[in-house]
């Protein structure tokens, strides 16, 4: 009878009353890297001499360490492009960062062949994105 709620124990677990620290949210590119791998698998054909049609490529996977490295690489390139674009904005006296500054910054930072490939892919993606919905539903 001596024990109970009157003895100072309120019946509440002390670990649940402590405030939990929120994790800071960080931008990761893992979803997009997986989409690229899925896209590569869909468009790659394994050259096999036995099958004239060619068969689907095997599933492409990536280890967590390789994903971490890819995430850091993409973040680094993104930060470099944004930094260069902000310098271009300062030099030109603009207050908003537009596609012109991003294109110029990318052209300054990337090798020529890589830039031309990136520009064509970005243009294709933009035209597909801005295409009217009716045309998209017809396909």
């Amino acid at each position: 009878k001596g024990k109970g709620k009157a003895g100072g124990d309120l019946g509440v677990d002390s670990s649940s009353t402590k405030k939990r620290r929120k994790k800071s949210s960080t931008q990761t590119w893992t979803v997009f890297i997986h989409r690229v791998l899925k896209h590569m698998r869909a468009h790659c054909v394994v050259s096999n001499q036995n099958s004239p049609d060619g068969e689907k490529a095997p599933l492409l996977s990536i280890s967590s360490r390789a994903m971490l490295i890819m995430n850091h690489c993409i973040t680094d390139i993104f930060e470099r492009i944004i930094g260069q674009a902000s310098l271009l904005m300062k030099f030109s006296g603009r207050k908003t960062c537009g596609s012109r500054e991003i294109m110029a910054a990318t052209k300054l930072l990337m090798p020529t062949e890589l830039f031309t490939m990136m520009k064509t892919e970005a243009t294709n993606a933009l035209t597909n994105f801005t295409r009217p919905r009716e045309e998209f539903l017809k396909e």
Side-chain angles (χ1 to χ4, degrees):
K1 263 190 165 180
K3 292 184 178 181
K5 293 183 182 180
D9 182 21
L10 299 176
V12 178
D13 189 14
S14 63
S15 63
S16 65
T17 59
K18 291 181 182 178
K19 283 190 175 181
R20 291 190 180 183
R21 181 181 262 185
K22 266 191 175 178
K23 278 189 175 181
S24 62
S25 63
T26 57
Q27 174 71 37
T28 60
W29 304 98
T30 56
V31 174
F32 305 106
I33 293 170
H34 280 295
R35 283 184 191 172
V36 168
L37 288 175
K38 186 177 178 182
H39 181 75
M40 286 174 54
R41 182 185 185 276
H43 295 294
C44 290
V45 176
V46 175
S47 61
N48 191 351
Q49 296 172 351
N50 298 336
S51 65
D53 300 337
E55 56 190 55
K56 283 266 189 191
L59 287 173
L60 297 174
S61 61
I62 187 167
S63 67
S64 60
R65 184 169 181 168
M67 181 62 79
L68 185 66
I69 292 169
M70 287 296 296
N71 191 30
H72 285 306
C73 288
I74 293 170
T75 303
D76 181 52
I77 291 171
F78 186 71
E79 287 175 356
R80 287 183 190 191
I81 290 172
I82 293 299
Q84 190 68 34
S86 68
L87 286 176
L88 290 171
M89 285 172 28
K90 284 182 185 177
F91 292 145
S92 65
R94 294 178 181 233
K95 295 189 186 259
T96 56
C97 184
S99 61
R100 173 182 269 173
E101 286 81 18
I102 297 295
M103 291 285 266
T106 307
K107 192 172 188 176
L108 288 171
L109 291 172
M110 298 294 162
T112 309
E113 295 172 3
L114 185 60
F115 172 72
T116 54
M117 186 183 71
M118 289 168 65
K119 186 176 178 181
T120 57
E121 288 295 323
T123 306
N124 289 340
L126 192 61
T127 54
N128 287 338
F129 182 74
T130 58
R131 199 168 37 170
R133 186 177 169 96
E134 294 81 27
E135 289 181 25
F136 182 73
L137 293 174
K138 287 180 184 178
E139 291 181 0

Coordinates of all heavy atoms in Angstrom, one line a residue, residues 4-13:
G4 N 2.8 3.7 -5.0 CA 1.7 4.2 -5.8 C 1.9 5.6 -6.2 O 3.0 6.1 -6.2
K5 N 0.8 6.2 -6.7 CA 0.9 7.6 -7.2 C 1.2 8.6 -6.2 O 1.7 9.7 -6.5 CB -0.3 7.9 -8.0 CG -0.5 7.0 -9.3 CD -1.6 7.4 -10.1 CE -1.7 6.4 -11.3 NZ -2.8 6.7 -12.1
A6 N 0.8 8.4 -5.0 CA 1.0 9.4 -3.9 C 2.5 9.5 -3.5 O 2.9 10.5 -3.0 CB 0.2 9.0 -2.7
G7 N 3.3 8.5 -3.8 CA 4.7 8.5 -3.4 C 5.6 9.2 -4.4 O 6.8 9.1 -4.3
G8 N 5.0 10.0 -5.3 CA 5.8 10.8 -6.2 C 5.9 10.2 -7.6 O 6.2 10.9 -8.5
D9 N 5.5 9.0 -7.8 CA 5.5 8.4 -9.1 C 4.1 8.7 -9.7 O 3.1 8.3 -9.2 CB 5.7 6.9 -9.0 CG 5.7 6.2 -10.3 OD1 6.0 6.9 -11.3 OD2 5.5 5.0 -10.4
L10 N 4.1 9.5 -10.8 CA 2.9 9.9 -11.4 C 2.4 8.9 -12.5 O 1.4 9.1 -13.1 CB 3.0 11.3 -12.1 CG 3.3 12.4 -11.1 CD1 3.5 13.7 -11.8 CD2 2.2 12.5 -10.1
G11 N 3.2 7.8 -12.7 CA 2.8 6.8 -13.7 C 3.2 7.2 -15.1 O 2.7 6.7 -16.0
V12 N 4.0 8.3 -15.3 CA 4.4 8.7 -16.6 C 5.8 8.3 -16.8 O 6.7 8.6 -16.0 CB 4.2 10.3 -16.7 CG1 4.6 10.8 -18.1 CG2 2.8 10.7 -16.4
D13 N 6.1 7.8 -18.0 CA 7.4 7.4 -18.3 C 8.3 8.6 -18.5 O 7.9 9.5 -19.3 CB 7.4 6.5 -19.6 CG 8.7 5.9 -19.9 OD1 9.6 5.9 -19.0 OD2 8.9 5.4 -21.0

